[in-house]
Amino acid sequence: MHKSFTLLLVPFASVGHAADVNKASKSIMLDKIVVSSPLPQSASDTALPVTILSGEELRLKAGSTIGDTLKNELGIHSQSFGPGVGQPVIRGQTGSRAQVLQNGLGSLDAASISPDHANSTEGFWAERIEVLKGPATLLYGGGAIGGVVNVIDNRIPDRVPDKLIEGAAEQRYNFVNEGKTTAFKLEGGKDFFAWHLDGMFRESIDMQIPGLAVDESAEAESHDDHDDEDTFNSRGRLLNSNTRARTGTVGFSFVGDPGFIGFSINHLDNNYGVPLGAHAHHEDEGDEDAMPERVRIDLKQTRYDMKSEIKDPVWFADSLRIRLGYNDYQHTELENGEKGTVYTNTGFDSRLELIQKPWLLFDHGVVGVQTKNSEFEAKGDEAVVPRSDIDSFGFFTVQDIHAGPMTYEFGARVEQQFIDPDGQKQSSHTPVSGSASALWHFTDQDSVRLSFTHAQRAPDVQELFSNGPHLATNSFDIGNAGLEVEAANNLELGLHFERDWVHADFNLYHNWVNNYIAQIRTGEFFDEDHGEIEDECDHDHECLPVFRAQQRDAILKGFEAQVTFPLLETRYGQLDSQFFGDYVRGQFTDGRDIPRMPPLRYGMQLSWEHTAWAANVRITRAERQENPGDNETETPSYWLLNSTANYRINAGDTADLLLFVKASNLLNQDIRNSVSYLRNIAPEAGRAVELGIRVAF
């Protein structure tokens, strides 16, 4: 790993305090400033399709993982691997194509290496979560052609609070897994000094499910099994899905008229189980009915951050923003309680951005640089990826022009990535990306936007160099050192329409991808007894399905739509109805399907709101996924009925009390997640009810 690193520009307008939420007005929600945009823009004034969660809406939707929090938003699903893992899937893309950021910096964890690796970004005390959908490569690098999730908190304050001390505490209990969450946050400051302190503890037992854990017929189909083969299964609970996590953060800042500088440290411990699956190793090789090995992930991370802003640094710039993060990450795969493979990732992520004053034709602009330098290593019998030094450097710029009702935005990015694996030839790629967009406000409330992005992504280390068995995913993974840069050309059309009687948003997108990289299940099996790859599995032996990294040209296309109608407004409250739907179709140009894509999804929601009360009922229909990909199994359709209710008590000027209840999967449907590797082994949770209380002072 190169010992030097470069600070770089983050494409974020101020990462300051989040605007307060006026939950009674959808139009006000739309006018929130998009913190994750490089330029000062409201959500209705950006050409990027953006989803913003904040305030009470975020509190009520918050789940145990980032994917769980966002999975009911348009265009977003969760790639679950049991309740301990929930990677966001944006328009069918996950991993490095759907990056998760903490205050604009990457996590430098191992989440993109394997679907059983949890993301180390914890969003419980986030002030807001922003999701930019579509290619965001220009802003964030690393090929985020699906989108970016930015989890924004106040761990490094950029202003001094009005109170010497303020904070919040929250307690939750979920009946589906006896899940208990306890959390607190304290903030304060005086004169030029501001500080932040938070902590969270969460634990749960094995999750309740509607019926059997393993869909035996689908699992047999995927393995081409004989009908009489014994398969381990459980009913009513998903075994080995218990979790235990704790995290804490300390941060402080020095704030003055010229700007601010602040620092923070965060530590995370997360221990979670990987659901027991069919065809895994058995504890007693002589007993076919013995329970499969219990695999757990013991994750530890310590993260250090620095953030600073200097106002009017030079005559041609409004501000200079600097961010630097250092991450020390490790997770151990425990097999029946014994130490197995250990993954470590240590390194820097840095951004520096210069916000320009108006110049020539451009009204706003930003130029910046970004660097990532990390040392990744895996030790153990299942170290499928060699120790590697990973370094990247990128330069980007985004500029906009305002001309009456029209707004034009242009961007460009050049990036260089080096991966130097032990014992193998160094890999080097140079992605080059560009974008152009136009936004037309044909009335004060209504707009049309059109954008085109050419985004390139360099292959990840596991796509290049994986070679070996992975017990947690029950697979044998093979990379391809000859992979080329992946290039996506995305065309998107959006419409926003707003009247007193209706609010509507529609997005259509079409993405042509050259050299799309996918882990394809080949239909081969790795015979663990013989140590060889075979066309068929000898059922007297332990076998793992083979997944190979392959490149093919592909097309992804889809839509997102949401229409809200106010139905009734009286002195007893306001009643709204909302209709929504999303769909993405991923297909290689040879006619075969991209694996693990989400199905067509649509539904409606009724929402009622009064001064202190709010409640909603949401019904979602997901159709059968009939295009699962080569050697993958289809997933059945389902209905998902959810409901929430909350009551706010105002205790004068000193405190607020929020009581809430969340119910999910009220129909107790057996839901198989088409984007999950464990669709046949680990269904989603059964009927669940969560109670919570939050005190803010």
Side-chain angles (χ1 to χ4, degrees):
M1 171 178 156
H2 300 318
K3 299 303 179 183
S4 62
F5 60 88
T6 306
L7 295 176
L8 50 60
L9 175 155
V10 105
F12 290 76
S14 63
V15 172
H17 62 289
D20 290 337
V21 179
N22 185 336
K23 59 176 183 170
S25 173
K26 301 288 178 63
S27 61
I28 292 178
M29 291 282 290
L30 288 171
D31 286 338
K32 288 181 180 177
I33 296 299
V34 182
V35 175
S36 301
S37 169
L39 304 175
Q41 298 170 319
S42 67
S44 60
D45 287 332
T46 176
L48 294 171
V50 60
T51 297
I52 301 175
L53 295 182
S54 61
E56 284 184 16
E57 182 185 21
L58 175 55
R59 295 262 49 83
L60 294 173
K61 291 182 177 181
S64 59
T65 65
I66 299 298
D68 191 39
T69 300
L70 297 171
K71 64 183 180 182
N72 292 318
E73 303 302 310
L74 285 181
I76 307 173
H77 296 73
S78 178
Q79 188 179 70
S80 59
F81 213 91
V85 181
Q87 301 289 359
V89 178
I90 306 175
R91 295 180 171 179
Q93 306 302 297
T94 189
S96 60
R97 296 191 187 97
Q99 294 185 21
V100 178
L101 309 176
Q102 185 96 47
N103 296 311
L105 293 179
S107 55
L108 291 177
D109 52 25
S112 64
I113 300 296
S114 174
D116 66 304
H117 298 173
N119 197 287
S120 63
T121 299
E122 174 58 55
F124 189 86
W125 282 121
E127 295 193 344
R128 60 197 284 137
I129 297 178
E130 297 183 351
V131 183
L132 300 183
K133 289 174 283 190
T137 304
L138 294 179
L139 309 181
Y140 307 103
I145 64 174
V148 165
V149 177
N150 188 23
V151 180
I152 302 165
D153 58 30
N154 197 40
R155 65 179 57 186
I156 300 180
D158 64 355
R159 64 181 180 88
V160 179
D162 296 331
K163 297 180 181 179
L164 184 63
I165 183 171
E166 58 188 19
E170 189 166 322
Q171 181 68 48
R172 297 182 176 216
Y173 182 82
N174 197 323
F175 290 90
V176 78
N177 56 5
E178 298 183 19
K180 296 175 283 291
T181 302
T182 304
F184 76 92
K185 177 178 69 172
L186 295 173
E187 295 177 334
K190 188 176 182 181
D191 297 330
F192 59 87
F193 184 75
W195 57 273
H196 171 97
L197 175 68
D198 70 54
M200 187 274 296
F201 175 78
R202 178 192 295 124
E203 67 175 349
S204 66
I205 67 171
D206 290 344
M207 180 179 72
Q208 294 181 25
I209 55 177
L212 291 172
V214 178
D215 183 340
E216 296 183 7
S217 61
E219 185 68 1
E221 177 187 345
S222 69
H223 287 268
D224 193 25
D225 287 342
H226 299 300
D227 293 338
D228 60 352
E229 182 178 348
D230 291 329
T231 298
F232 178 83
N233 210 340
S234 64
R235 181 183 293 275
R237 286 197 183 271
L238 185 62
L239 298 185
N240 203 44
S241 63
N242 56 315
T243 66
R244 185 182 180 94
R246 60 182 180 179
T247 183
T249 307
V250 177
F252 63 90
S253 298
F254 299 97
V255 184
D257 293 336
F260 74 93
I261 184 171
F263 304 88
S264 71
I265 180 172
N266 168 268
H267 183 75
L268 169 68
D269 284 333
N270 188 8
N271 187 293
Y272 60 92
V274 174
L276 300 183
H279 307 280
H281 299 280
H282 291 280
E283 295 180 14
D284 183 356
E285 295 295 340
D287 183 3
E288 291 186 357
D289 295 326
M291 185 179 293
E293 281 188 314
R294 289 179 177 265
V295 179
R296 301 193 63 80
I297 305 295
D298 187 18
L299 185 159
K300 299 181 186 300
Q301 173 186 274
T302 302
R303 177 185 175 114
Y304 306 86
D305 285 280
M306 185 276 288
K307 182 173 73 173
S308 179
E309 179 177 357
I310 302 172
K311 300 176 182 177
D312 299 317
V314 290
W315 63 269
F316 56 84
D318 285 328
S319 64
L320 175 69
R321 299 186 182 120
I322 302 171
R323 292 176 193 166
L324 171 65
Y326 173 78
N327 203 39
D328 184 359
Y329 172 93
Q330 172 183 298
H331 89 239
T332 303
E333 295 189 353
L334 304 173
E335 301 170 11
N336 292 329
E338 297 183 0
K339 187 176 180 179
T341 306
V342 179
Y343 292 83
T344 61
N345 196 9
T346 59
F348 293 93
D349 189 356
S350 58
R351 295 177 179 267
L352 181 148
E353 64 176 4
L354 186 71
I355 308 299
Q356 306 158 218
K357 294 181 179 179
W359 67 289
L360 298 179
L361 298 175
F362 301 104
D363 295 285
H364 303 95
V366 58
V367 293
V369 290
Q370 171 185 354
T371 65
K372 291 184 180 181
N373 312 86
S374 66
E375 295 178 354
F376 177 82
E377 186 172 10
K379 295 180 179 179
D381 293 338
E382 296 180 27
V384 298
V385 179
R387 180 198 172 279
S388 302
D389 293 335
I390 305 172
D391 301 287
S392 67
F393 176 84
F395 169 82
F396 67 86
T397 181
V398 177
Q399 308 287 332
D400 70 15
I401 301 172
H402 297 270
M406 299 295 298
T407 300
Y408 305 95
E409 187 174 294
F410 307 92
R413 182 184 183 98
V414 179
E415 192 168 359
Q416 182 69 50
Q417 174 181 286
F418 300 95
I419 300 179
D420 190 6
D422 284 357
Q424 301 191 45
K425 183 180 179 181
Q426 183 188 69
S427 169
S428 175
H429 297 88
T430 309
V432 179
S433 304
S435 69
S437 63
L439 177 70
W440 175 34
H441 279 282
F442 56 90
T443 72
D444 290 340
Q445 300 84 23
D446 311 319
S447 61
V448 175
R449 54 181 173 78
L450 180 66
S451 62
F452 174 78
T453 305
H454 173 77
Q456 294 188 343
R457 183 181 77 89
D460 291 331
V461 61
Q462 78 280 2
E463 295 171 331
L464 292 165
F465 302 117
S466 289
N467 187 27
H470 194 187
L471 176 60
T473 57
N474 205 27
S475 63
F476 190 92
D477 301 332
I478 302 176
N480 181 356
L483 294 176
E484 301 177 0
V485 166
E486 184 179 271
N489 296 295
N490 186 79
L491 184 64
E492 179 148 352
L493 176 66
L495 171 65
H496 173 69
F497 183 81
E498 185 174 335
R499 292 293 184 272
D500 292 338
W501 58 275
V502 64
H503 294 174
D505 286 280
F506 302 94
N507 293 317
L508 297 172
Y509 57 91
H510 198 114
N511 202 345
W512 298 265
V513 188
N514 296 325
N515 298 321
Y516 185 90
I517 302 170
Q519 287 293 118
I520 303 296
R521 186 168 180 170
T522 64
E524 302 168 299
F525 295 91
F526 177 76
D527 189 319
E528 296 183 81
D529 295 328
H530 292 162
E532 297 178 350
I533 294 177
E534 308 285 354
D535 291 334
E536 296 182 356
C537 177
D538 186 332
H539 295 295
D540 293 329
H541 297 170
E542 293 285 352
C543 296
L544 295 173
V546 174
F547 288 78
R548 293 181 184 269
Q550 300 181 20
Q551 281 192 305
R552 305 172 185 169
D553 292 345
I555 294 176
L556 297 103
K557 54 189 175 183
F559 73 87
E560 296 148 5
Q562 181 171 289
V563 182
T564 303
F565 296 99
L567 296 180
L568 182 66
E569 185 172 3
T570 72
R571 61 192 180 93
Y572 299 107
Q574 178 174 322
L575 180 66
D576 292 341
S577 65
Q578 185 179 89
F579 300 87
F580 57 87
D582 59 20
Y583 177 68
V584 57
R585 178 75 168 100
Q587 197 171 21
F588 297 111
T589 54
D590 62 8
R592 288 182 284 184
D593 300 313
I594 297 177
R596 295 173 294 280
M597 299 296 289
L600 170 64
R601 185 174 62 170
Y602 53 90
M604 73 167 296
Q605 176 174 306
L606 289 176
S607 303
W608 173 75
E609 187 172 344
H610 194 36
T611 306
W613 285 92
N616 67 65
V617 177
R618 183 182 181 94
I619 182 72
T620 303
R621 170 69 174 180
E623 294 294 347
R624 182 180 184 86
Q625 178 52 277
E626 298 178 338
N627 305 296
D630 289 352
N631 301 298
E632 301 284 355
T633 56
E634 298 182 2
T635 52
S637 59
Y638 61 84
W639 291 96
L640 178 63
L641 178 62
N642 295 342
S643 182
T644 64
N646 63 278
Y647 179 65
R648 173 176 292 280
I649 302 173
N650 191 333
D653 296 331
T654 58
D656 284 323
L657 180 67
L658 180 68
L659 306 173
F660 58 90
V661 57
K662 296 168 51 179
S664 59
N665 195 11
L666 287 170
L667 301 178
N668 206 32
Q669 294 265 286
D670 183 12
I671 297 175
R672 302 288 171 167
N673 189 346
S674 67
V675 302
S676 172
Y677 282 79
L678 297 188
R679 62 170 75 96
N680 299 330
I681 295 173
E684 300 300 295
R687 184 181 295 112
V689 177
E690 183 179 53
L691 305 178
I693 180 172
R694 183 176 191 267
V695 180
F697 57 89

Short mmCIF file of all heavy atoms in Angstrom, two decimals, residues 184-219:
data_model
loop_
_atom_site.label_atom_id
_atom_site.label_comp_id
_atom_site.label_asym_id
_atom_site.label_seq_id
_atom_site.Cartn_x
_atom_site.Cartn_y
_atom_site.Cartn_z
N PHE A 184 -28.81 6.09 22.95
CA PHE A 184 -28.85 7.46 23.47
C PHE A 184 -27.97 8.35 22.60
O PHE A 184 -27.06 7.87 21.90
CB PHE A 184 -28.36 7.51 24.92
CG PHE A 184 -26.86 7.40 25.07
CD1 PHE A 184 -26.05 8.53 25.10
CD2 PHE A 184 -26.26 6.14 25.15
CE1 PHE A 184 -24.67 8.42 25.22
CE2 PHE A 184 -24.88 6.02 25.25
CZ PHE A 184 -24.08 7.16 25.30
N LYS A 185 -28.25 9.65 22.67
CA LYS A 185 -27.45 10.65 21.97
C LYS A 185 -27.41 11.91 22.81
O LYS A 185 -28.45 12.37 23.31
CB LYS A 185 -28.04 10.96 20.59
CG LYS A 185 -27.30 12.04 19.82
CD LYS A 185 -27.90 12.29 18.44
CE LYS A 185 -29.27 12.92 18.52
NZ LYS A 185 -29.78 13.32 17.18
N LEU A 186 -26.23 12.50 22.99
CA LEU A 186 -26.05 13.76 23.71
C LEU A 186 -25.23 14.70 22.85
O LEU A 186 -24.24 14.28 22.23
CB LEU A 186 -25.34 13.53 25.05
CG LEU A 186 -26.09 12.68 26.10
CD1 LEU A 186 -25.18 12.41 27.28
CD2 LEU A 186 -27.36 13.38 26.55
N GLU A 187 -25.64 15.96 22.83
CA GLU A 187 -24.90 16.99 22.08
C GLU A 187 -24.95 18.29 22.86
O GLU A 187 -25.86 18.52 23.66
CB GLU A 187 -25.51 17.20 20.69
CG GLU A 187 -25.40 15.99 19.79
CD GLU A 187 -26.07 16.18 18.44
OE1 GLU A 187 -27.01 17.00 18.37
OE2 GLU A 187 -25.65 15.52 17.48
N GLY A 188 -23.98 19.14 22.59
CA GLY A 188 -23.97 20.44 23.26
C GLY A 188 -22.79 21.27 22.83
O GLY A 188 -22.03 20.89 21.92
N GLY A 189 -22.63 22.39 23.49
CA GLY A 189 -21.52 23.26 23.16
C GLY A 189 -21.69 24.64 23.73
O GLY A 189 -22.76 25.02 24.24
N LYS A 190 -20.63 25.41 23.66
CA LYS A 190 -20.65 26.80 24.13
C LYS A 190 -19.52 27.55 23.46
O LYS A 190 -18.44 26.99 23.21
CB LYS A 190 -20.50 26.85 25.65
CG LYS A 190 -20.71 28.23 26.24
CD LYS A 190 -20.65 28.22 27.75
CE LYS A 190 -20.90 29.62 28.31
NZ LYS A 190 -20.82 29.64 29.80
N ASP A 191 -19.77 28.82 23.16
CA ASP A 191 -18.79 29.67 22.50
C ASP A 191 -18.38 29.04 21.17
O ASP A 191 -19.20 28.88 20.29
CB ASP A 191 -17.59 29.92 23.41
CG ASP A 191 -17.98 30.66 24.69
OD1 ASP A 191 -18.94 31.45 24.62
OD2 ASP A 191 -17.35 30.43 25.73
N PHE A 192 -17.13 28.62 21.04
CA PHE A 192 -16.63 28.08 19.78
C PHE A 192 -16.50 26.56 19.79
O PHE A 192 -16.02 25.97 18.83
CB PHE A 192 -15.25 28.67 19.46
CG PHE A 192 -14.21 28.39 20.52
CD1 PHE A 192 -13.47 27.21 20.49
CD2 PHE A 192 -13.99 29.29 21.56
CE1 PHE A 192 -12.53 26.95 21.46
CE2 PHE A 192 -13.05 29.02 22.53
CZ PHE A 192 -12.31 27.84 22.48
N PHE A 193 -16.95 25.89 20.88
CA PHE A 193 -16.74 24.45 21.02
C PHE A 193 -18.06 23.71 20.98
O PHE A 193 -19.03 24.09 21.65
CB PHE A 193 -16.02 24.15 22.34
CG PHE A 193 -15.67 22.69 22.52
CD1 PHE A 193 -14.62 22.13 21.81
CD2 PHE A 193 -16.40 21.89 23.39
CE1 PHE A 193 -14.30 20.79 21.98
CE2 PHE A 193 -16.08 20.55 23.56
CZ PHE A 193 -15.02 20.00 22.84
N ALA A 194 -18.14 22.64 20.18
CA ALA A 194 -19.33 21.79 20.09
C ALA A 194 -18.91 20.33 20.22
O ALA A 194 -17.81 19.95 19.78
CB ALA A 194 -20.05 22.01 18.76
N TRP A 195 -19.77 19.50 20.81
CA TRP A 195 -19.42 18.11 21.04
C TRP A 195 -20.61 17.19 20.77
O TRP A 195 -21.77 17.62 20.74
CB TRP A 195 -18.90 17.89 22.47
CG TRP A 195 -19.86 18.32 23.53
CD1 TRP A 195 -20.00 19.58 24.07
CD2 TRP A 195 -20.87 17.52 24.17
NE1 TRP A 195 -21.00 19.60 25.00
CE2 TRP A 195 -21.54 18.36 25.09
CE3 TRP A 195 -21.24 16.19 24.07
CZ2 TRP A 195 -22.58 17.89 25.89
CZ3 TRP A 195 -22.27 15.72 24.86
CH2 TRP A 195 -22.92 16.57 25.76
N HIS A 196 -20.30 15.89 20.58
CA HIS A 196 -21.33 14.89 20.27
C HIS A 196 -20.93 13.57 20.92
O HIS A 196 -19.76 13.17 20.92
CB HIS A 196 -21.44 14.70 18.75
CG HIS A 196 -22.32 13.55 18.35
ND1 HIS A 196 -23.64 13.70 18.00
CD2 HIS A 196 -22.06 12.22 18.22
CE1 HIS A 196 -24.15 12.53 17.68
NE2 HIS A 196 -23.22 11.61 17.80
N LEU A 197 -21.93 12.86 21.47
CA LEU A 197 -21.72 11.56 22.08
C LEU A 197 -22.95 10.69 21.80
O LEU A 197 -24.08 11.14 22.00
CB LEU A 197 -21.50 11.70 23.58
CG LEU A 197 -21.36 10.40 24.40
CD1 LEU A 197 -20.07 9.67 24.03
CD2 LEU A 197 -21.38 10.72 25.90
N ASP A 198 -22.75 9.46 21.31
CA ASP A 198 -23.89 8.56 21.12
C ASP A 198 -23.47 7.12 21.38
O ASP A 198 -22.28 6.77 21.37
CB ASP A 198 -24.52 8.71 19.73
CG ASP A 198 -23.66 8.18 18.59
OD1 ASP A 198 -23.23 7.01 18.65
OD2 ASP A 198 -23.41 8.93 17.63
N GLY A 199 -24.47 6.28 21.62
CA GLY A 199 -24.23 4.87 21.84
C GLY A 199 -25.48 4.07 21.52
O GLY A 199 -26.60 4.59 21.59
N MET A 200 -25.31 2.80 21.16
CA MET A 200 -26.43 1.95 20.81
C MET A 200 -26.08 0.50 21.12
O MET A 200 -24.96 0.05 20.89
CB MET A 200 -26.77 2.11 19.32
CG MET A 200 -28.05 1.40 18.87
SD MET A 200 -27.80 -0.33 18.42
CE MET A 200 -26.70 -0.19 17.02
N PHE A 201 -27.07 -0.24 21.68
CA PHE A 201 -26.92 -1.68 21.93
C PHE A 201 -28.15 -2.38 21.36
O PHE A 201 -29.28 -1.95 21.59
CB PHE A 201 -26.80 -1.98 23.42
CG PHE A 201 -26.77 -3.44 23.73
CD1 PHE A 201 -25.63 -4.19 23.54
CD2 PHE A 201 -27.92 -4.09 24.20
CE1 PHE A 201 -25.60 -5.55 23.82
CE2 PHE A 201 -27.90 -5.44 24.48
CZ PHE A 201 -26.74 -6.17 24.29
N ARG A 202 -27.93 -3.47 20.60
CA ARG A 202 -29.04 -4.20 19.98
C ARG A 202 -28.76 -5.71 20.07
O ARG A 202 -27.63 -6.15 19.83
CB ARG A 202 -29.16 -3.79 18.51
CG ARG A 202 -30.25 -4.51 17.73
CD ARG A 202 -30.12 -4.29 16.24
NE ARG A 202 -30.34 -2.90 15.87
CZ ARG A 202 -29.48 -2.17 15.20
NH1 ARG A 202 -28.31 -2.67 14.85
NH2 ARG A 202 -29.75 -0.92 14.89
N GLU A 203 -29.76 -6.49 20.45
CA GLU A 203 -29.60 -7.94 20.46
C GLU A 203 -30.93 -8.60 20.14
O GLU A 203 -32.01 -8.02 20.37
CB GLU A 203 -29.06 -8.45 21.79
CG GLU A 203 -29.99 -8.28 22.97
CD GLU A 203 -29.42 -8.92 24.23
OE1 GLU A 203 -28.42 -9.65 24.13
OE2 GLU A 203 -29.98 -8.68 25.32
N SER A 204 -30.87 -9.82 19.62
CA SER A 204 -32.09 -10.56 19.28
C SER A 204 -31.79 -12.05 19.29
O SER A 204 -30.63 -12.47 19.17
CB SER A 204 -32.60 -10.14 17.90
OG SER A 204 -31.68 -10.53 16.89
N ILE A 205 -32.85 -12.86 19.43
CA ILE A 205 -32.73 -14.30 19.32
C ILE A 205 -33.09 -14.71 17.89
O ILE A 205 -33.34 -13.85 17.03
CB ILE A 205 -33.62 -15.02 20.36
CG1 ILE A 205 -35.11 -14.80 20.04
CG2 ILE A 205 -33.29 -14.55 21.77
CD1 ILE A 205 -36.04 -15.66 20.89
N ASP A 206 -33.16 -16.00 17.63
CA ASP A 206 -33.50 -16.47 16.29
C ASP A 206 -34.87 -15.95 15.86
O ASP A 206 -35.84 -15.97 16.63
CB ASP A 206 -33.51 -18.00 16.25
CG ASP A 206 -32.11 -18.58 16.39
OD1 ASP A 206 -31.13 -17.83 16.20
OD2 ASP A 206 -32.00 -19.79 16.70
N MET A 207 -34.97 -15.53 14.62
CA MET A 207 -36.15 -14.86 14.08
C MET A 207 -37.26 -15.85 13.76
O MET A 207 -37.02 -16.96 13.26
CB MET A 207 -35.74 -14.12 12.81
CG MET A 207 -36.81 -13.36 12.09
SD MET A 207 -36.11 -12.53 10.64
CE MET A 207 -35.82 -13.94 9.54
N GLN A 208 -38.51 -15.46 14.07
CA GLN A 208 -39.67 -16.27 13.70
C GLN A 208 -39.94 -16.16 12.21
O GLN A 208 -39.82 -15.09 11.61
CB GLN A 208 -40.90 -15.81 14.48
CG GLN A 208 -40.83 -16.05 15.97
CD GLN A 208 -42.09 -15.61 16.68
OE1 GLN A 208 -43.16 -15.56 16.07
NE2 GLN A 208 -41.97 -15.29 17.96
N ILE A 209 -40.32 -17.31 11.62
CA ILE A 209 -40.68 -17.36 10.20
C ILE A 209 -42.02 -18.07 10.07
O ILE A 209 -42.44 -18.81 10.97
CB ILE A 209 -39.59 -18.07 9.37
CG1 ILE A 209 -39.29 -19.47 9.94
CG2 ILE A 209 -38.31 -17.22 9.33
CD1 ILE A 209 -38.28 -20.26 9.15
N PRO A 210 -42.74 -17.88 8.96
CA PRO A 210 -44.10 -18.45 8.84
C PRO A 210 -44.14 -19.97 8.81
O PRO A 210 -45.11 -20.57 9.26
CB PRO A 210 -44.62 -17.85 7.53
CG PRO A 210 -43.77 -16.65 7.30
CD PRO A 210 -42.43 -16.98 7.85
N GLY A 211 -43.14 -20.62 8.25
CA GLY A 211 -43.19 -22.07 8.09
C GLY A 211 -41.80 -22.66 8.12
O GLY A 211 -41.01 -22.40 9.04
N LEU A 212 -41.46 -23.46 7.09
CA LEU A 212 -40.15 -24.08 7.00
C LEU A 212 -39.11 -23.07 6.53
O LEU A 212 -39.39 -22.19 5.71
CB LEU A 212 -40.19 -25.26 6.03
CG LEU A 212 -40.98 -26.49 6.49
CD1 LEU A 212 -41.10 -27.49 5.35
CD2 LEU A 212 -40.33 -27.13 7.71
N ALA A 213 -37.90 -23.22 7.05
CA ALA A 213 -36.81 -22.33 6.62
C ALA A 213 -36.39 -22.65 5.19
O ALA A 213 -36.30 -21.75 4.34
CB ALA A 213 -35.63 -22.46 7.57
N VAL A 214 -36.16 -23.91 4.89
CA VAL A 214 -35.67 -24.31 3.58
C VAL A 214 -36.84 -24.69 2.68
O VAL A 214 -37.68 -25.52 3.05
CB VAL A 214 -34.69 -25.50 3.69
CG1 VAL A 214 -34.22 -25.94 2.31
CG2 VAL A 214 -33.51 -25.13 4.57
N ASP A 215 -36.90 -24.05 1.52
CA ASP A 215 -37.83 -24.47 0.47
C ASP A 215 -37.19 -25.69 -0.21
O ASP A 215 -36.37 -25.55 -1.12
CB ASP A 215 -38.05 -23.32 -0.51
CG ASP A 215 -39.07 -23.65 -1.58
OD1 ASP A 215 -39.33 -24.85 -1.82
OD2 ASP A 215 -39.59 -22.71 -2.20
N GLU A 216 -37.57 -26.87 0.25
CA GLU A 216 -36.84 -28.07 -0.14
C GLU A 216 -36.95 -28.38 -1.63
O GLU A 216 -35.99 -28.84 -2.25
CB GLU A 216 -37.32 -29.26 0.70
CG GLU A 216 -37.00 -29.08 2.18
CD GLU A 216 -37.42 -30.29 3.00
OE1 GLU A 216 -37.82 -31.31 2.40
OE2 GLU A 216 -37.34 -30.23 4.24
N SER A 217 -38.10 -28.12 -2.22
CA SER A 217 -38.25 -28.39 -3.66
C SER A 217 -37.39 -27.45 -4.49
O SER A 217 -36.73 -27.87 -5.45
CB SER A 217 -39.71 -28.29 -4.07
OG SER A 217 -40.21 -26.98 -3.84
N ALA A 218 -37.36 -26.17 -4.11
CA ALA A 218 -36.54 -25.21 -4.85
C ALA A 218 -35.06 -25.48 -4.63
O ALA A 218 -34.26 -25.39 -5.57
CB ALA A 218 -36.88 -23.78 -4.42
N GLU A 219 -34.68 -25.83 -3.41
CA GLU A 219 -33.28 -26.12 -3.13
C GLU A 219 -32.84 -27.37 -3.87
O GLU A 219 -31.72 -27.43 -4.40
CB GLU A 219 -33.09 -26.29 -1.62
CG GLU A 219 -31.65 -26.48 -1.19
CD GLU A 219 -30.78 -25.25 -1.38
OE1 GLU A 219 -31.30 -24.22 -1.85
OE2 GLU A 219 -29.57 -25.34 -1.10
#
